[in-house]
C-alpha cells in the first residue's frame, strides 16, 4: 500500500529547539514537504488487483526486483480492478496489474495503457458452505461450462448468493457468468458485499451463501471461511492476469524496467513455484506470451472532471445517492435514539448520585470516548458471529448489527456529555426550586432545563460520531447493497470501483451533514443556558 513519511520526530524536535533553530528547522521541514510533493524518480506505483497482493505473491516479486534494482522502489496500491484502471487513467499509477480482459482492452484502446501482456493465470471457482442448498455439487462432471450452469441452478433455487459488487475483475467475471447463464440475479437471495475478496468470503461463510472467488484467495484464507469448492473448470472460469504501463504514469522509465523484469525468466520461475511449499501446489501458473512493441492507441484524454459529475448527480437527484443517504440517516437515527434512551438516564444518574464506585464508572465512560471504532466493530462482530454468544440471533451483516455497533460508539458520548452538562449547573438551582415548593421531579426537570443546550450538544455529538464512522460499519454490516450500505461505506466502495464522482457526491452530503451538526454545536455553545431563578 502507499507509504507516507512520518513527521512526528520532526514535530517533537521543534518543541526542543531555540527560537532561531526553529526557523532553520521550519525551512528544512518545508523543503522536505516540497520534496515529497513531487515523487522521486526512483519510485514506481503499481495498481494491482487484491488477489495477487493478498496471496503474498506481489510482496515476493517486489522484494526480489528491488534487491536487483536498489535504485528503484515499487509501491503497491492493492485495490479492485476497476479502481486500478482508474488510477492508471489519472496517472496515479505507473503500471496496472489486473484480470479483466475486456476492461483491459478498452483501457488500451482509449490510449490509457500500453504494452499489455497476459503473463499468468489461475482459475475461478464457485464455493459454498457444505449444505449446498441448490445442489450444484457435481455439475463440473456433467457440464463442459459448469460456471453458467451452476449460476442458472442457483437462480432457479433462489439460493443465497453473495457478490463482491465492487467492479473488480472477479465481479466483472461474475456478471459475465450471469449473462451466459441466462438468469437474472435479484434480491433478496442475491446480495452485494461491496468489499474485497477476503472479506466477501468471510461474509459468505457467515450468511451461508454461494460465492465466486479466485482459487488462490480461498486457499490462502483457509479455515477462516467455512467454504468448500463445489464447481470448477471450463473456459469461463479461467482467470488470466495482465500487466501494462499507464500512459499517464509519471515514471515511465521505472515502470518499463519493472514491467520487463516481471516478464523475465526469473520472475516467471518464482510465479510457477509460489505457494507450493505451503499448500502443496502453486497458486498461479505462467502463460506463454510475446513481448509487444510500444503501441498506445487513442488520445488518452481524461474524462469529465469528477467534481462536475458529482454536482450533476446531486442536482439531478441520483437514485443511488438518495438511497444511500436515506439509509444512513435511518440507521444512524435509530442508533442515536437508542443511545439517547440508554445513555441519557445513565448520565443523569451519574451526575445526581454519589456512590462509592462513581469515579471508576465515570473513568470507564470517559475511556469509552477513546475506543477505536474498529475495535468496537470487532467486539460486536465476535458477539454476533455464528460461533459467538449472540450468533443464534443471526444479526451479523444486518442493519441491526450496524445499529448495535453505532449505539456502542455513541453511548459514551451521550453519557459523558450529559454528565459534564449537569455537573456544570450549580446544585443551588435544585435547592432553590425545592425551597420554593417544587417537587423532586420538578427540581430535576429544572436542572435538565438549565443544561438543555449542552444536552442537545450531547445528542448532536453522538449523531456526528455514528453518521461519519466507517470501520465498525464495514466489519459488522458487510456493506451489503440495499441493506447495510451507508454513506461512509459507499464512499469506500465507489472509490474502490473508480467511481470518483459518486464518492465525491456522497462525500459532499456527508460533509454537509457534519457541517450542520458542528454549526448546531457552535450555536448552542455561544447561546448557553439562562437561569430561570431570579437573583
Amino acid at each position: 500500500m502507499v507509504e507516507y513519511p512520518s513527521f512526528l520526530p520532526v514535530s517533537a524536535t521543534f518543541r526542543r529547539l531555540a527560537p532561531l533553530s526553529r526557523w532553520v528547522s521550519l525551512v528544512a521541514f518545508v523543503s522536505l514537504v516540497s520534496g515529497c510533493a513531487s515523487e522521486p524518480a526512483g519510485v514506481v506505483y503499481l495498481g494491482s488487483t487484491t488477489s495477487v497482493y493478498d496471496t503474498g505473491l506481489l510482496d515476493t516479486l517486489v522484494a526480489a526486483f528491488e534487491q536487483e534494482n536498489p535504485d528503484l522502489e515499487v509501491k503497491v496500491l492493492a485495490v479492485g480492478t476497476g479502481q486500478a484502471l482508474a488510477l492508471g487513467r489519472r496517472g496515479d499509477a505507473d503500471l496496472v496489474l489486473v484480470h479483466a480482459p475486456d476492461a483491459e482492452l478498452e483501457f488500451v484502446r482509449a490510449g490509457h495503457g500500453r504494452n499489455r501482456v497476459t503473463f499468468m493465470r489461475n482459475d475461478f471457482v464457485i464455493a459454498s458452505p457444505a449444505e449446498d442448498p441448490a445442489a450444484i455439487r457435481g455439475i463440473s462432471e456433467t457440464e463442459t461450462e459448469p460456471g453458467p450452469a451452476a449460476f442458472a441452478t442457483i437462480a432457479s433455487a433462489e439460493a443465497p448468493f453473495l457478490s463482491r459488487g465492487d467492479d473488480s475483475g472477479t465481479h466483472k467475471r461474475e456478471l459475465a457468468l450471469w449473462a451466459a447463464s441466462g438468469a437474472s440475479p435479484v434480491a433478496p437471495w442475491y446480495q452485494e458485499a461491496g468489499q474485497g475478496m477476503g472479506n466477501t468470503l468471510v461474509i459468505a461463510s457467515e450468511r451461508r451463501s454461494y460465492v465466486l472467488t479466485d482459487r488462490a484467495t480461498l486457499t490462502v484464507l483457509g479455515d477462516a471461511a467455512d467454504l468448500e469448492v463445489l464447481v470448477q473448470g471450463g473456459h469461463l472460469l479461467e482467470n488470466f492476469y495482465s500487466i501494462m504501463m499507464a500512459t499517464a504514469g509519471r515514471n515511465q522509465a521505472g515502470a518499463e524496467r519493472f514491467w520487463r523484469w516481471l516478464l523475465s525468466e526469473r520472475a516467471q520461475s518464482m510465479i510457477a513455484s509460489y505457494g507450493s511449499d505451503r499448500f502443496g501446489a502453486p497458486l498461479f501458473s505462467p502463460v506463454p506470451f510475446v513481448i509487444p512493441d510500444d503501441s498506445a492507441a487513442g488520445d488518452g484524454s481524461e474524462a469529465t472532471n469528477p467534481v462536475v459529475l458529482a454536482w450533476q448527480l446531486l442536482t439531478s437527484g441520483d437514485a443511488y445517492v438518495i438511497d444511500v443517504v436515506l439509509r444512513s440517516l435511518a440507521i444512524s437515527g435509530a442508533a442515536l435514539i437508542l443511545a439517547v434512551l440508554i445513555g441519557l438516564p445513565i448520565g443523569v444518574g451519574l451526575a445526581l448520585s454519589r456512590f462509592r464506585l462513581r469515579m471508576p464508572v465515570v473513568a470507564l465512560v470517559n475511556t469509552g470516548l477513546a475506543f477505536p471504532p474498529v475495535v468496537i466493530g470487532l467486539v460486536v462482530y465476535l458477539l454476533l458471529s455464528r460461533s459467538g454468544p449472540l450468533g443464534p440471533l443471526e444479526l451479523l451483516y444486518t442493519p441491526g448489527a450496524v445499529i448495535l455497533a453505532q449505539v456502542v460508539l455513541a453511548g459514551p458520548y451521550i453519557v459523558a456529555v450529559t454528565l459534564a452538562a449537569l455537573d456544570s449547573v450549580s446544585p443551588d438551582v435544585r435547592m432553590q426550586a425545592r425551597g420554593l415548593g417544587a417537587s423532586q421531579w420538578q427540581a430535576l426537570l429544572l436542572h435538565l432545563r438549565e443544561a438543555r443546550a449542552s444536552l442537545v450538544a450531547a445528542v448532536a455529538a453522538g449523531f456526528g460520531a455514528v453518521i461519519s464512522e466507517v470501520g465498525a460499519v464495514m466489519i459488522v454490516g458487510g456493506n451489503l447493497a440495499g441493506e447495510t450500505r451507508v454513506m461512509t461505506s459507499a464512499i469506500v466502495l465507489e472509490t474502490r470501483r473508480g467511481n470518483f464522482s459518486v464518492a465525491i457526491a456522497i462525500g459532499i452530503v456527508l460533509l454537509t451533514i457534519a457541517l450542520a451538526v458542528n454549526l448546531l454545536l457552535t450555536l448552542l455553545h455561544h447561546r448557553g443556558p439562562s437561569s430561570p431563578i431570579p437573583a
Side-chain angles (χ1 to χ4, degrees):
M1 300 298 291
V2 179
E3 301 170 4
Y4 295 95
S6 172
F7 301 115
L8 198 56
V10 179
S11 300
T13 304
F14 281 168
R15 291 192 295 270
R16 296 194 297 268
L17 292 174
L20 180 59
S21 299
R22 291 183 182 179
W23 282 105
V24 175
S25 298
L26 180 60
V27 173
F29 176 77
V30 172
S31 300
L32 178 60
V33 173
S34 300
C36 292
S38 57
E39 198 62 50
V43 176
V44 175
Y45 282 104
L46 171 65
S48 169
T49 178
T50 56
S51 58
V52 183
Y53 182 80
D54 291 343
T55 57
L57 174 61
L58 263 185
D59 285 340
T60 302
L61 294 173
V62 167
F65 171 78
E66 291 179 343
Q67 185 177 14
E68 295 182 16
N69 300 268
D71 61 320
L72 279 179
E73 178 186 3
V74 177
K75 294 188 177 182
V76 178
L77 309 171
V79 293
T81 288
Q83 187 180 356
L85 294 174
L87 291 172
R89 283 193 298 270
R90 298 172 64 86
D92 295 327
D94 302 303
L95 301 111
V96 289
L97 196 170
V98 290
H99 60 144
D102 291 342
E104 296 162 19
L105 292 173
E106 180 182 349
F107 185 80
V108 172
R109 282 195 297 266
H112 301 302
R114 62 187 179 92
N115 288 357
R116 171 181 175 266
V117 175
T118 301
F119 69 104
M120 69 178 185
R121 69 179 295 274
N122 62 4
D123 65 333
F124 291 109
V125 296
I126 301 174
S128 163
E131 297 91 297
D132 187 18
I136 64 173
R137 194 191 307 270
I139 285 182
S140 298
E141 285 73 38
T142 61
E143 298 285 344
T144 56
E145 288 294 346
F151 272 35
T153 303
I154 292 170
S156 178
E158 296 187 353
F161 186 97
L162 186 66
S163 167
R164 280 185 62 168
D166 61 349
D167 199 34
S168 61
T170 304
H171 182 221
K172 292 177 184 293
R173 180 58 58 89
E174 178 214 314
L175 296 178
L177 289 169
W178 283 119
S181 73
S184 299
V186 294
W189 59 267
Y190 178 85
Q191 293 291 339
E192 293 183 352
Q195 299 202 46
M197 196 71 258
N199 288 342
T200 300
L201 291 174
V202 172
I203 297 172
S205 176
E206 287 287 338
R207 292 178 68 99
R208 321 309 286 171
S209 299
Y210 291 99
V211 62
L212 179 73
T213 176
D214 65 286
R215 188 188 297 271
T217 303
L218 181 61
T219 300
V220 172
L221 196 61
D223 294 335
D226 180 21
L227 298 170
E228 298 180 7
V229 174
L230 300 185
V231 175
Q232 58 188 329
H235 173 69
L236 292 179
L237 289 180
E238 292 179 333
N239 186 21
F240 291 95
Y241 293 85
S242 300
I243 181 76
M244 53 188 159
M245 287 178 276
T247 55
R250 289 171 291 178
N251 192 347
Q252 293 290 315
E256 184 165 354
R257 282 172 60 185
F258 182 69
W259 175 82
R260 290 190 179 279
W261 184 90
L262 197 61
L263 302 177
S264 68
E265 290 187 8
R266 186 188 179 200
Q268 293 295 292
S269 176
M270 294 173 65
I271 292 170
S273 62
Y274 184 77
S276 298
D277 54 343
R278 291 178 56 193
F279 308 108
L283 299 180
F284 301 90
S285 302
V287 298
F289 59 83
V290 175
I291 297 181
D293 295 328
D294 187 353
S295 56
D299 58 9
S301 58
E302 192 61 55
T304 305
N305 189 304
V307 177
V308 175
L309 294 176
W311 181 251
Q312 293 174 354
L313 288 173
L314 291 174
T315 55
S316 64
D318 182 75
Y320 175 72
V321 173
I322 292 175
D323 176 72
V324 169
V325 170
L326 292 180
R327 184 176 301 104
S328 299
L329 294 175
I331 289 178
S332 297
L336 180 64
I337 292 173
L338 289 175
V340 169
L341 292 177
I342 297 171
L344 194 61
I346 294 176
V348 172
L350 288 175
L352 302 183
S353 62
R354 296 292 182 269
F355 55 95
R356 181 178 301 178
L357 298 178
R358 181 179 183 275
M359 291 306 297
V361 172
V362 172
L364 181 62
V365 170
N366 291 332
T367 303
L369 297 175
F371 279 165
V374 290
V375 175
I376 291 176
L378 179 60
V379 171
V380 175
Y381 173 87
L382 294 175
L383 290 173
L384 299 180
S385 67
R386 191 168 294 271
S387 58
L390 301 181
L393 298 179
E394 297 187 351
L395 286 177
L396 192 60
Y397 305 126
T398 67
V402 179
I403 291 173
L404 177 59
Q406 291 187 346
V407 168
V408 177
L409 282 169
Y413 284 89
I414 303 296
V415 175
V417 180
T418 299
L419 175 60
L422 295 180
D423 280 347
S424 66
V425 177
S426 172
D428 293 341
V429 172
R430 281 188 296 139
M431 295 177 60
Q432 291 182 42
R434 293 301 301 273
L436 293 175
S439 67
Q440 185 173 353
W441 282 105
Q442 288 174 328
L444 175 60
L445 291 176
L446 182 60
H447 195 152
L448 293 175
R449 183 174 181 273
E450 278 292 287
R452 63 188 182 279
S454 297
L455 293 177
V456 174
V459 175
F463 181 73
V466 298
I467 195 70
S468 60
E469 203 286 316
V470 63
V473 167
M474 293 286 283
I475 291 174
V476 304
N479 199 23
L480 300 178
E483 286 193 31
T484 59
R485 186 169 300 167
V486 294
M487 282 188 284
T488 50
S489 61
I491 290 172
V492 172
L493 169 63
E494 299 306 332
T495 302
R496 184 182 296 127
R497 285 173 167 171
N499 295 336
F500 296 106
S501 58
V502 180
I504 292 172
I506 297 174
I508 291 173
V509 176
L510 183 57
L511 286 174
T512 301
I513 293 174
L515 177 62
V517 170
N518 281 281
L519 179 61
L520 175 62
L521 291 175
T522 302
L523 292 175
L524 292 173
H525 174 72
H526 285 291
R527 180 180 179 183
S530 57
S531 175
I533 305 296

